[in-house]
Amino acid sequence: MLTRRHIRVKVMQSIYALSQSHSDQVDKELKFINMSIANMHDLHVLTLDLFVKLSEYGQNQIELSQKKYLATSADKNPNKKFVQNAIIRHLAENEDLKDAVHDRNLNDWELNDEYIRVIFEAMQESDLYKKYMADTETGYEKDRAFAAKLFSEIIAPNEKLYEFYEDQKLTWIDDLPVVNTLILKSIKQAKQGKERIFLSELYKDEEDKAFVRDLFRKTVLNDEMLTAEIQGKTPNWDKDRIANLDLILLKMAICEFLKFPSIPAKVTINEYIELAKEYSTSKSSMFVNGILDKLIKEYKKENKLNKIGRGLM
């Protein structure tokens, strides 16, 4: 679930927070990173559970219509295509998802059911929903295509839902693009009878889990050495003129060069250029690229790159 890039973002954010608070409580900040990552998992669970709650809301609306005193023919014989959607039924019957909702006490939709109503009504008013419900042809592929478009066109862009997530957890807005991409990918890759486990593991493997801890601790605890590596490589920039975030990105990248032998240098450079583009100033990516390129040439010349395996230079 959690990509290396998102791990780097989490570490970057925590190092920045540590630098702003002038704190030396490394272990405390590491606990915050782990809590932030656990909260990201909660966001994943909660968003998947939203599909289930929409289906339950739709079923409840059907039952209420059938109980009308003057129920119409349409009320008595409702179109159940949405509540019987194969993808949504799979989520509703997914025991891992049920356990995660229960174990993490994620009762947000029960406490804030107005968001379910708002999204359900937005879905009902959409051409996507009307066309899907009117289509007499049924099948797994059509259900999957509808579920994917329902998420990408109605659920994910919903402003009220965005505001809700923003109010619930400070870090969720940064996590949302990653979680949304993962969910959409899972829906599109689902196959009948061989549905992917929508609720994936938080980390791909133990190595990624250790990478969170090691990148944070090694960058923070080697700050003096990493700062010294940068000095002299920025002749046109005083230390005070370099954006704080750029310094953090450079230190993290240099730490990967020198302390993580299994990560190819090219991967490190590309990753931190992209992070600079996304999170720092308009000129940061060029600045970071220039410094890292200069350093990598120097390290190769001095044989300081201790990379393991072929093609890692």
Side-chain angles (χ1 to χ4, degrees), residues 85-139:
N85 179 283
I87 297 294
I88 298 175
R89 293 315 311 156
H90 172 61
L91 286 169
E93 295 163 5
N94 189 315
E95 293 300 324
D96 289 338
L97 180 58
K98 290 178 184 177
D99 290 343
V101 171
H102 178 268
D103 295 344
R104 298 288 293 175
N105 195 29
L106 297 175
N107 58 352
D108 300 60
W109 303 132
E110 283 80 2
L111 299 175
N112 302 276
D113 58 356
E114 68 271 19
Y115 291 97
I116 303 300
R117 176 185 56 79
V118 166
I119 294 172
F120 188 86
E121 290 176 356
M123 177 187 73
Q124 276 191 316
E125 293 169 5
S126 70
D127 291 337
L128 170 68
Y129 178 81
K130 292 172 183 175
K131 185 178 178 181
Y132 172 70
M133 297 298 281
D135 190 353
T136 55
E137 289 187 27
T138 59

Side-chain angles (χ1 to χ4, degrees), residues 51-66:
F51 281 97
V52 180
K53 294 300 184 286
L54 285 173
S55 178
E56 291 174 354
Y57 185 89
Q59 182 61 40
N60 186 53
Q61 293 300 106
I62 289 172
E63 292 172 2
L64 289 174
S65 296
Q66 290 176 324

Side-chain angles (χ1 to χ4, degrees), residues 226-243:
L226 296 171
T227 300
E229 292 293 314
I230 298 169
Q231 289 175 349
K233 307 301 186 300
T234 57
N236 298 323
W237 295 82
D238 295 328
K239 183 176 180 295
D240 293 338
R241 290 178 59 201
I242 301 174

Side-chain angles (χ1 to χ4, degrees), residues 182-310:
L182 178 68
I183 290 173
L184 187 59
K185 183 178 178 181
S186 295
I187 293 172
K188 288 182 175 180
Q189 292 183 345
K191 294 181 180 179
Q192 189 171 12
K194 296 181 180 179
E195 287 89 348
R196 292 171 59 88
I197 300 301
F198 285 82
L199 190 60
S200 58
E201 294 294 328
L202 188 55
Y203 294 100
K204 184 181 72 175
D205 50 36
E206 287 298 316
E207 188 177 338
D208 275 4
K209 189 175 182 179
F211 182 59
V212 176
R213 178 196 66 231
D214 294 343
L215 181 59
F216 177 75
R217 288 184 61 84
K218 288 180 180 181
T219 303
V220 172
L221 297 177
N222 290 285
D223 183 75
E224 195 172 311
M225 179 273 288
L226 296 171
T227 300
E229 292 293 314
I230 298 169
Q231 289 175 349
K233 307 301 186 300
T234 57
N236 298 323
W237 295 82
D238 295 328
K239 183 176 180 295
D240 293 338
R241 290 178 59 201
I242 301 174
N244 192 21
L245 205 53
D246 291 353
L247 280 174
I248 290 170
L249 291 174
L250 285 171
K251 289 174 184 178
M252 290 172 64
I254 297 167
C255 185
E256 286 191 25
F257 284 161
L258 302 177
K259 304 290 185 180
F260 291 82
S262 65
I263 300 177
K266 287 183 180 179
V267 170
T268 294
I269 293 174
N270 290 337
E271 285 291 301
Y272 286 97
I273 290 172
E274 290 303 312
L275 290 179
K277 284 180 183 177
E278 187 170 355
Y279 290 94
S280 199
T281 69
S282 58
K283 296 180 180 180
S284 291
S285 60
M286 292 179 62
F287 173 71
V288 168
N289 184 28
I291 300 303
L292 294 182
D293 185 60
K294 188 181 294 185
L295 281 168
I296 207 71
K297 289 176 181 176
E298 180 182 298
Y299 291 158
K300 286 180 179 179
K301 187 177 180 181
E302 297 175 358
N303 200 28
K304 289 177 70 174
L305 279 181
N306 182 29
K307 297 296 182 181
I308 299 172
R310 298 176 65 183

